[in-house]
Amino acid sequence: MLRFILRRLLQMVLAFFGTTLIVYALMFAGQGDPIQALAGERPVTAAQRAYLTEKYHLDATGIGGFFYRYFNYLGGLLRGDLGQSLTGRQIGDILAAAWPVTVKLALIAMAVTILVGVTAGVIAGIRRAGVFDHATLVLTLLVLGIPTIVLAPLAQYFLGVRWPIFPPTAGAQPSLWALLLPGIVLGSLSLATALRLTRTSVSENLRADYVRTARAKGLVRRRIVGVHVLRNSLIPVVTFLGVELGNLMSGAIITEGVFNIPGVGFNLFRGIRTEDGPLVVGIVSVLVVVYLLSNLVVDVLYAVLDPRIRYE
């Protein structure tokens, strides 16, 4: 097990370096004038050009200069220094203010996915080909067919404006109640996917040989489903939920934008829109770490759900 974790950590390090290099190159290496790439469409004065040249080591040119700047940025990143955005604010301070909001939003979405999606998937798998199974199939296909960019404004209008059940916008310091509707919208796609995945996994395990053996031994249905079937069925579901947690942390750009939530996705979208290269690279670098760590946690949970994996 220890060797497995060490091997995954080594893969995470390689993935981190590769991802940050690609993102850094996409933001800075493709521009003819790197200073103008840093400033976006805004005009750059001579004083600003001299300041940016010194700050980002732009006097080093060519492919060697690019890697020099990248490793200089990477050194600061490993020391915990994410640098400054083009507005002059520390990117670490921006993330420190945005992370609590995004974490709350992602946890609400994940809770909705687990409580509703996984539970309904287990029931649909047990009652395969029943009324509940067919109803959830239609609903999940409907949800999967509506993109978040359409679902979020519709939910905001009907549940926040026309029928004011939830606040239409979250505001600067949103409460859990203000984040509930955005969390449901954010988790709707994950909910539908988790429901169908859980239903399929439970349905397949109910037809497995070990279930027939357990029934032949006289075990009650509740114990067969609750102890044996559910545990084996959760392995692909845990995989999906672990990966989806990283996606929820980084993929809330549309939801946070529609509901005016000052989270990580909102700031990432603002950095892309204003062509704030340092802000985009800094946020994406942190999101890569979150995504990799969530995958590592999933790999470790495999050993809890299936002890055979410990010896591989």
Side-chain angles (χ1 to χ4, degrees), residues 152-170:
L154 288 177
Q156 184 185 47
Y157 173 71
F158 285 106
L159 299 179
V161 178
R162 187 165 185 177
W163 302 303
I165 302 175
F166 300 98
T169 58

Side-chain angles (χ1 to χ4, degrees), residues 69-82:
R69 291 189 296 272
Y70 168 71
F71 284 115
N72 183 74
Y73 164 77
L74 198 60
L77 191 65
L78 295 177
R79 293 192 301 269
D81 182 13
L82 297 174

Side-chain angles (χ1 to χ4, degrees), residues 233-257:
S233 301
L234 283 179
I235 294 178
V237 179
V238 168
T239 304
F240 168 76
L241 293 178
V243 175
E244 195 65 15
L245 180 60
N247 292 334
L248 292 175
M249 291 287 189
S250 58
I253 297 178
I254 297 175
T255 306
E256 291 183 356

